[in-house]
Amino acid sequence: MTRARNLALFVVLAAIWGSAFMAIKAGLAYFPPVLFAALRYDVAGVIMLGYAAYVVDDPIPRGRDEWAVVAVGSTLIIAAYHAFLFIGETDPAVTSAVAAVIVSLSPVLTTVFARAFLPSERLTVVGVTGLLVGLVGAVVLAAPDLSNLTGGGAVAKLLVLLAAASFALGSVLTRASDSDISIETMEAWSMLLGALLMHLLSVGLGESVNAVSWTTEGILSLAYLSVAASGLGFLIYFDLLDRLGPIEINLVSYVAPIFAAVTGWLFLNEGITLNTVAGFLIICLGFVLVKRAAFRSALREYGIAG
């Protein structure tokens, strides 16, 4: 039952975060990038703080250890990741395909950080091979223009890479903490403080609220990103992070592009090509390699393997 629950939550998370790429793409037409991310977490943080107050006895972090976890979440997982990503994607050289390929490096980067901070999370040679196979699948699915990938926009691409690294490091450090802070409390305060950091950065970059176009499409994209992708998505993410560890849960970045392709086809008339199908199959192969022990255990459980 636990395995089925984890798998179901993993798929839901991939679907939410995959479809969020479409919402981000729509919203950036109406909001300055860092201000857009900050407003997203203003809304999400307030919602999550209310939820935390409802489900936990004390929704306020207590002690140095709990505030340290919040600091990691707000700085790396919320502020740094989204600021680097959104600013990087404003460069014309960083297409959605290029950004998707770079962000798909997150599980590999997580493995690197885990080796330093979480020795128990280390992968075997086959596991590392699975991660690399998954990355190949993400590249095939995104079908980037290689001349564009290696050409201009080097600084912007570095920013997107820093976004992936920030998220990976934040995941590992959160997992490594001995704090007993509840998921709800940590998520709510990380969002609120992360939003504050992004507002400060937005002001420093000269972004203005006057540049926002409050259209129906813009508001809908902000609402989806705030409630579904941020609130519900991160609640599932941190729950699975505690159950699965940072390496396995960050494999969601390999599965999310599948849902991004499907929602792009449904809502933006983006065709599903042979690259999409091939990428999906390769990603599945990489996932099976990484999770081979779990699959073997499941087969034994049902009497399929000895």
Side-chain angles (χ1 to χ4, degrees), residues 72-202:
V72 169
S74 61
T75 303
L76 294 174
I77 297 178
I78 302 298
Y81 172 74
H82 291 90
F84 284 136
L85 177 62
F86 278 48
I87 294 174
E89 285 194 284
T90 60
D91 191 306
V94 180
T95 64
S96 57
V98 170
V101 170
I102 299 173
V103 171
S104 291
L105 286 168
S106 182
V108 178
L109 295 171
T110 300
T111 304
V112 174
F113 291 128
R115 285 184 175 274
F117 297 101
L118 295 173
S120 62
E121 297 287 347
R122 293 177 180 176
L123 290 176
T124 63
V125 173
V126 177
V128 173
T129 301
L131 288 173
L132 296 177
V133 169
L135 176 60
V136 170
V139 172
V140 171
L141 188 145
D145 181 350
L146 294 181
S147 62
N148 188 34
L149 186 64
T150 59
V155 173
K157 292 168 187 174
L158 176 60
L159 291 175
V160 178
L161 178 60
L162 288 174
S166 298
F167 196 95
L169 179 58
S171 300
V172 171
L173 293 180
T174 300
R175 173 73 170 180
S177 172
D178 293 327
S179 172
D180 294 327
I181 188 172
S182 68
I183 294 173
E184 297 83 1
T185 300
M186 189 271 285
E187 182 176 348
W189 286 95
S190 293
M191 288 181 175
L192 290 172
L193 294 182
L196 175 60
L197 291 174
M198 287 188 288
H199 275 296
L200 294 175
L201 178 59
S202 176

Side-chain angles (χ1 to χ4, degrees), residues 14-23 224 256-270 272:
I16 292 174
W17 281 1
S19 59
F21 280 101
M22 179 190 62
Y224 181 79
I258 298 170
F259 291 96
V262 171
T263 54
W265 172 66
L266 289 174
F267 297 100
L268 301 177
N269 276 332
E270 297 176 346
I272 298 179

Side-chain angles (χ1 to χ4, degrees), residues 219-246:
I219 294 173
L220 287 175
S221 66
L222 178 62
Y224 181 79
L225 291 170
S226 301
V227 179
S230 299
L232 179 59
F234 272 100
L235 189 62
I236 295 173
Y237 173 81
F238 285 116
D239 178 67
L240 290 177
L241 176 63
D242 185 59
R243 293 171 179 271
L244 303 178

